[in-house]
Structures are given as structure tokens and as C-alpha cells.
Amino acid sequence: AIATAYYEETLKSKEGNDALNYLLERGLSKDIIEKYKLGFSPDSFNDLLDLIRKESFSPDAMLQSGLFIKSEKGYFNRFQSRIMFPIQNQNGDVIAFGGRIFNKDNPAKYLNSPETPIYLKSNVLYGINHNVKSIRENKSIILVEGYMDLLQLVNADIHNCLAISGTAFTEGHSNILKRFTKNIYVAFDGDDAGKKAALK
């Protein structure tokens, strides 16, 4: 929650202005950006680290959060120069993050939190806390791959959607889906990887 608030604040600051404009240019409304708590993590090794240290968490808790990486020189931020997509559970608690690289060269376009005691990738679908009401009303789910896919559907007033957050589709995901409905529309990307994932 502390990291989410910090990333949100940074997106609204001068430092995050280009990232905010990128999201707006992609067609997202300010309302969607706020509702889904999108943020920006600056190109820094230790800004979030310094903030979290003030809160007196144990080194073990900090490492288990998935927000930091431990090296020989100590801890540093996992997410640097990335647009941040908080991943929330059905209750709305932020349990992990996806980060899209922005204004920096990095072969990993998207970086997700590692699995932690509160984040099991195979049991989490992005958007569930926001869209569960619409899913129940529509008795159907449009399943997409990524964060932006889902946000652009929501932006177009289509709310019965969930995303697998760019991870592999699992039995855990299917168990979540069938709690709500058997009417699932798989709308993964049209590239080879997306077609293979959809068939699987």
C-alpha cells in the first residue's frame, strides 16, 4: 500500500509527467488511471527503499515483499523506470505489481513481482476486485493477456473482463473463473504466442 501510494504520487509529479502522457495517449482516462491506482517508479536504485526503511519493516519482510532485490552491496529497487500496475486481490488489497519499462532500454518490457507469501501468480487474475460485479451481472468473462488489454476494455465501458497478467494460464486461474461462470471468451493477442496460449 505504501509503495502504491508513492508510485501514484510520482506519476502525478513532474518526474512522472511523460509516463502519464503516455497512458493518456494510449486512450486511458484519468478516472481509470486513478481507479486502478496506476503509478510510476522512477529510474532510481533506492528511492522506494529509503521510504520503506523509515517505516521500520524488518529486512526479511522487505525482501519477502518482492519490491527489492538483495545483492552483495545491499538492497535495491526491483522496479526502475517503469509504469506501475498494482495487482489487487478480490478485496482490493495490493498484493503485487506489474511494471512496464518506460524511457529506458531494457529487454524485459514487462516485469512482474516474484511470488511472495501473499502473491501466488496461479491464483490471481488482474481486475477481479473492480469487475466482479459486472461479471456476475453479465454471466460471462472476457479473458485477456495483459494489464493494458484489460484497461482499454474497461475504458470502452466493457467491465466483465479479467487478465492473466502476462503469466501462463493455470488450473488455479480456471478454478477462479468457474466460480463465476462457464461462459469464457479467450481474447489473447493475435500473435503466435497468443494463439498457442489461447489453444492451451
Side-chain angles (χ1 to χ4, degrees):
I2 294 163
T4 302
Y6 172 68
Y7 294 145
E8 283 186 283
E9 204 176 287
T10 308
L11 184 67
K12 291 171 188 167
S13 72
K14 191 179 175 185
E15 201 169 7
N17 197 48
D18 287 348
L20 178 60
N21 284 334
Y22 167 81
L23 292 168
L24 295 171
E25 282 162 15
R26 289 288 302 267
L28 298 186
S29 68
K30 283 192 173 176
D31 182 53
I32 296 288
I33 290 167
E34 279 188 23
K35 193 176 174 185
Y36 281 78
K37 301 178 182 289
L38 303 192
F40 183 64
S41 176
D43 190 12
S44 166
F45 278 97
N46 61 353
D47 56 339
L48 181 67
L49 183 63
D50 292 344
L51 180 73
I52 297 285
R53 275 190 170 134
K54 289 176 189 167
E55 300 291 330
S56 306
F57 290 109
S58 70
D60 190 46
M62 286 170 63
L63 192 58
Q64 286 195 65
S65 72
L67 289 166
F68 309 104
I69 294 171
K70 190 177 182 182
S71 72
E72 290 171 8
K73 294 177 182 176
Y75 294 91
F76 65 92
N77 296 341
R78 178 179 298 274
F79 299 100
Q80 296 166 36
S81 196
R82 290 182 181 271
I83 292 170
M84 301 300 289
F85 300 85
I87 298 167
Q88 295 166 272
N89 63 17
Q90 201 169 328
N91 296 328
D93 304 312
V94 176
I95 55 171
F97 293 92
R100 186 198 190 283
I101 199 70
F102 186 75
N103 273 358
K104 192 179 180 183
D105 285 335
N106 191 306
K109 184 178 173 185
Y110 277 94
L111 180 67
N112 292 321
S113 290
E115 293 215 329
T116 69
I118 59 168
Y119 176 53
L120 298 172
K121 292 178 187 182
S122 60
N123 292 335
V124 176
L125 288 162
Y126 181 68
I128 196 161
N129 59 308
H130 293 291
N131 296 341
V132 69
K133 185 170 176 276
S134 177
I135 286 165
R136 287 193 169 118
E137 286 168 359
N138 283 277
K139 297 184 175 59
S140 67
I141 296 167
I142 300 165
L143 189 68
V144 295
E145 281 188 56
Y147 312 108
M148 285 299 288
D149 302 325
L150 179 132
L151 294 171
Q152 286 177 328
L153 283 176
V154 169
N155 211 61
D157 211 24
I158 298 165
H159 297 270
N160 59 321
C161 49
L162 296 172
I164 59 168
S165 312
T167 59
F169 184 73
T170 66
E171 199 173 321
H173 291 140
S174 66
N175 287 335
I176 296 167
L177 295 173
K178 69 185 181 188
R179 285 208 316 256
F180 298 107
T181 179
K182 288 182 180 176
N183 301 316
I184 317 286
Y185 300 92
V186 180
F188 290 172
D189 294 352
D191 56 17
D192 284 346
K195 286 173 185 171
K196 279 180 188 167
L199 284 169
K200 190 180 174 190

